[in-house]
Amino acid sequence: SQQGEEDPQALSIQEGENATMNCSYKTSINNLQWYRQNSGRGLVHLILIRSNEREKHSGRLRVTLDTSKKSSSLLITASRAADTASYFCATETYSGAGSYQLTFGKGTKLSVIP
Amino acid sequence: DSGVTQTPKHLITATGQRVTLRCSPRSGDLSVYWYQQSLDQGLQFLIQYYNGEERAKGNILERFSAQQFPDLHSELNLSSLELGDSALYFCASSVGASGFPSTDTQYFGPGTRLTVL
């Protein structure tokens, strides 16, 4: 079942603009992670934010987490054509026996037009 | 390059057949995860192994099975294949220490694209 739901499903912006993607989830989480996937390729881990954190930065990426609203956002500033990819949020929840499970949303497809 | 390798890159087979997908985790990683990515279902967690033992199960069909060997590489076996099994299959690995903290990053391989005709 889908835990995280990204919004929008697709986003098209001009190079240099900022891109904001949102993720909502349903149950309590240990952490929330954002991944990037270039077409047909493997996923690349971008950033992880713990459930007790509210904001995190990594280069041009800024992630926020609001556990009261069960939502997160990923902001990419000063976008580049090379940022064109699908972006997924993944929520980590405890699945028992010392194990944690990642549940992915369906992703936001970002197109950055040069 | 994540350090996770998967073979083969592409696999084309017929319905009813059986295939084996192979994954080698990053050096030092003890946990291996398998995911299926299809257009309609998105990225679905199938199963996790930690140091040779099954640790967690997701939406894995009974026709599918996996194992992790003493050298920590893993294989995903798909049998009685159906058209709907056509998808990208990803393997990921993580340090995955027992009782690990919730900052265990998963590193994904490039995937195996399975096409069932």
Side-chain angles (χ1 to χ4, degrees):
Chain A
S1 62
Q2 225 66 38
Q3 160 79 312
E5 293 288 338
E6 289 92 342
D7 171 63
Q9 289 186 343
L11 179 61
S12 184
I13 59 173
Q14 295 287 331
E15 202 166 28
E17 293 180 340
N18 295 342
T20 299
M21 288 159 267
N22 302 297
C23 170
S24 59
Y25 57 92
K26 296 173 185 171
T27 64
S28 296
I29 61 172
N30 293 316
N31 66 58
L32 186 143
Q33 305 179 31
W34 285 90
Y35 285 80
R36 165 197 166 120
Q37 183 182 32
N38 286 63
S39 182
R41 306 284 295 276
L43 278 78
V44 175
H45 182 263
L46 295 176
I47 195 164
L48 179 153
I49 185 163
R50 301 183 196 191
S51 59
N52 62 354
E53 296 176 314
R54 292 296 167 256
E55 188 170 313
K56 207 159 181 183
H57 296 255
S58 176
R60 293 184 296 113
L61 306 180
R62 173 179 168 249
V63 168
T64 61
L65 179 64
D66 186 336
T67 52
S68 66
K69 293 181 180 177
K70 291 187 169 58
S71 68
S72 172
S73 67
L74 170 68
L75 169 67
I76 303 174
T77 60
S79 65
R80 304 166 183 167
D83 294 328
T84 296
S86 291
Y87 292 82
F88 295 86
C89 73
T91 50
E92 185 187 85
T93 54
Y94 183 64
S95 56
S99 177
Y100 294 83
Q101 183 169 314
L102 272 186
T103 305
F104 286 81
K106 290 206 170 182
T108 292
K109 196 166 186 176
L110 173 66
S111 299
V112 181
I113 303 164
Chain B
D1 184 4
S2 67
V4 178
T5 59
Q6 289 186 248
T7 56
K9 285 187 180 178
H10 301 278
L11 200 47
I12 301 174
T13 188
T15 54
Q17 296 298 306
R18 172 189 170 95
V19 297
T20 298
L21 312 183
R22 182 188 167 103
C23 168
S24 293
R26 292 188 323 153
S27 176
D29 283 358
L30 298 178
S31 270
V32 170
Y33 311 78
W34 285 97
Y35 292 88
Q36 179 195 58
Q37 186 178 37
S38 60
L39 282 173
D40 54 343
Q41 293 293 321
L43 196 65
Q44 299 278 321
F45 167 70
L46 296 178
I47 198 165
Q48 177 201 357
Y49 277 81
Y50 170 72
N51 204 20
E53 293 190 4
E54 183 183 302
R55 176 63 73 88
K57 250 183 178 178
N59 301 322
I60 188 166
L61 300 172
E62 285 192 11
R63 299 184 285 109
F64 296 0
S65 65
Q67 52 184 330
Q68 185 179 29
F69 295 87
D71 67 352
L72 301 177
H73 91 270
S74 178
E75 291 181 356
L76 178 67
N77 299 296
L78 315 176
S79 61
S80 302
L81 284 168
E82 302 174 359
L83 296 177
D85 298 327
S86 295
L88 263 171
Y89 290 84
F90 289 105
C91 164
S93 74
S94 72
V95 172
S98 179
F100 47 76
S102 58
T103 55
D104 199 33
T105 298
Q106 294 185 24
Y107 295 87
F108 280 73
T112 293
R113 183 175 291 280
L114 173 66
T115 303
V116 182
L117 300 175

